[in-house]
Amino acid sequence: MRALRISLITAVVLGGLFVAADRVAVNMAESEVAERVKTSQGLARTPDVSINGFPFLTQVAGKKLDGVDVTLKSVTASADGRPVNITDVRAELGDVKINSDFSSAVAGTADGSGRISYEDLTRAAPRGATIGYAGPERAAKGQVKVSGSLLDVLKGAGKDPGRFESLLKQDVTVYSSVELREGGTVRLRTETLPGLSVPGLDGMLRDVLDYDLKLTGLPKPVTLDRVTAEEEGLKFSGAGRGVSLVG
């Protein structure tokens, strides 16, 4: 009985040491991957990296990781030359294979997402226009709310209201559909317009509020190709295969 007790205690101690060593190893690996991702992506901040699965050391021995999650609170991108914050940046990488000398890794699958607030979208919108949440029903259709002073919006775009200026001192609200085009271009197209009695004003307003917003500086290598309207802003998401993680 004493020998059995000693064997059990030894097994528990060795198991604890293995778990401790495994956790130390994974923490070191996560820090190394985070620094490499920061360098390879040209990021200003170091992302948080979490390597999934246990034990980690057996995954390393097999040169294959169950999954790696990369998150970043925010990234500064550009929308038609104006700085915007991409928040809640996430990448979930699966089936990650490590090369023979551990210098690079490639994920078989990757899902990524990020969000732009309506405040940032407003800063990049036509002058005088405010972009906001359109409510759950319209958001489900991929629509946002665009509001502002009709006169300010037209003048901000260099439109001359002429003799109708005195009639345009009113606030208007329209709803626009949003889609993400190839190359990271956000396209807004007006779906509804208020009843405007001034001839030609509908077309003039559409000319201003139907616009494309070119986003640059988005995190790579996951290609974001979908956009959904949420209460906090526009969420961009996408997927990829054969995605290089580091190296």
Side-chain angles (χ1 to χ4, degrees), residues 72-136:
L72 199 62
K73 289 183 179 179
S74 67
V75 174
T76 301
S78 177
D80 282 354
R82 303 179 182 91
V84 293
N85 286 323
I86 311 294
T87 60
D88 299 328
V89 179
R90 302 176 182 274
E92 298 178 359
L93 310 168
D95 188 23
V96 180
K97 296 180 180 178
I98 307 169
N99 73 345
S100 59
D101 62 357
F102 298 95
S103 62
S104 66
V106 175
T109 62
D111 292 292
S113 63
R115 179 180 287 109
I116 299 181
S117 69
Y118 291 119
E119 289 80 6
D120 271 321
L121 287 169
T122 295
R123 283 191 281 271
R127 190 169 21 164
T130 299
I131 312 298
Y133 181 56

Side-chain angles (χ1 to χ4, degrees), residues 39-52:
T39 301
S40 64
Q41 295 293 316
L43 301 174
R45 302 179 182 88
T46 303
D48 292 324
V49 172
S50 177
I51 298 176
N52 304 324

Side-chain angles (χ1 to χ4, degrees), residues 2 9 12 29 33 44 46 53 88 113 122 128-129 143-144 157 163 171-172 195-196 202 204 216 233 235:
R2 183 185 178 196
I9 293 173
V12 169
V33 171
T46 303
D88 299 328
S113 63
T122 295
Q143 294 181 4
V144 297
R163 68 181 188 278
D171 290 335
V172 295
L196 301 173
D202 285 10
M204 189 183 298
T216 57
K235 181 179 180 180

Side-chain angles (χ1 to χ4, degrees), residues 109-183:
T109 62
D111 292 292
S113 63
R115 179 180 287 109
I116 299 181
S117 69
Y118 291 119
E119 289 80 6
D120 271 321
L121 287 169
T122 295
R123 283 191 281 271
R127 190 169 21 164
T130 299
I131 312 298
Y133 181 56
E137 184 175 343
R138 289 187 179 276
K141 301 176 183 178
Q143 294 181 4
V144 297
K145 180 173 69 174
V146 185
S147 58
S149 163
L150 184 56
L151 186 60
D152 288 346
V153 170
L154 293 176
K155 281 192 168 182
K159 302 290 185 180
D160 182 9
R163 68 181 188 278
F164 299 113
E165 180 169 338
S166 60
L167 302 176
L168 303 181
K169 294 179 179 178
Q170 59 176 308
D171 290 335
V172 295
T173 295
V174 303
Y175 296 95
S176 297
S177 292
V178 181
E179 63 175 324
L180 187 60
R181 308 287 288 182
E182 186 177 355

Side-chain angles (χ1 to χ4, degrees), residues 6-89:
I6 292 173
S7 297
L8 289 174
I9 293 173
T10 302
V12 169
V13 170
L14 290 176
L17 290 174
F18 173 78
V19 171
D22 190 80
R23 294 301 87 191
V24 169
V26 76
N27 288 338
M28 293 176 62
E30 288 170 346
S31 296
E32 176 66 19
V33 171
E35 288 299 327
R36 291 198 184 191
V37 171
K38 177 184 178 182
T39 301
S40 64
Q41 295 293 316
L43 301 174
R45 302 179 182 88
T46 303
D48 292 324
V49 172
S50 177
I51 298 176
N52 304 324
F54 177 83
F56 167 68
L57 292 174
T58 58
Q59 296 182 66
V60 172
K63 293 187 172 65
K64 183 178 178 181
L65 305 179
D66 293 344
V68 178
D69 296 337
V70 181
T71 61
L72 199 62
K73 289 183 179 179
S74 67
V75 174
T76 301
S78 177
D80 282 354
R82 303 179 182 91
V84 293
N85 286 323
I86 311 294
T87 60
D88 299 328
V89 179

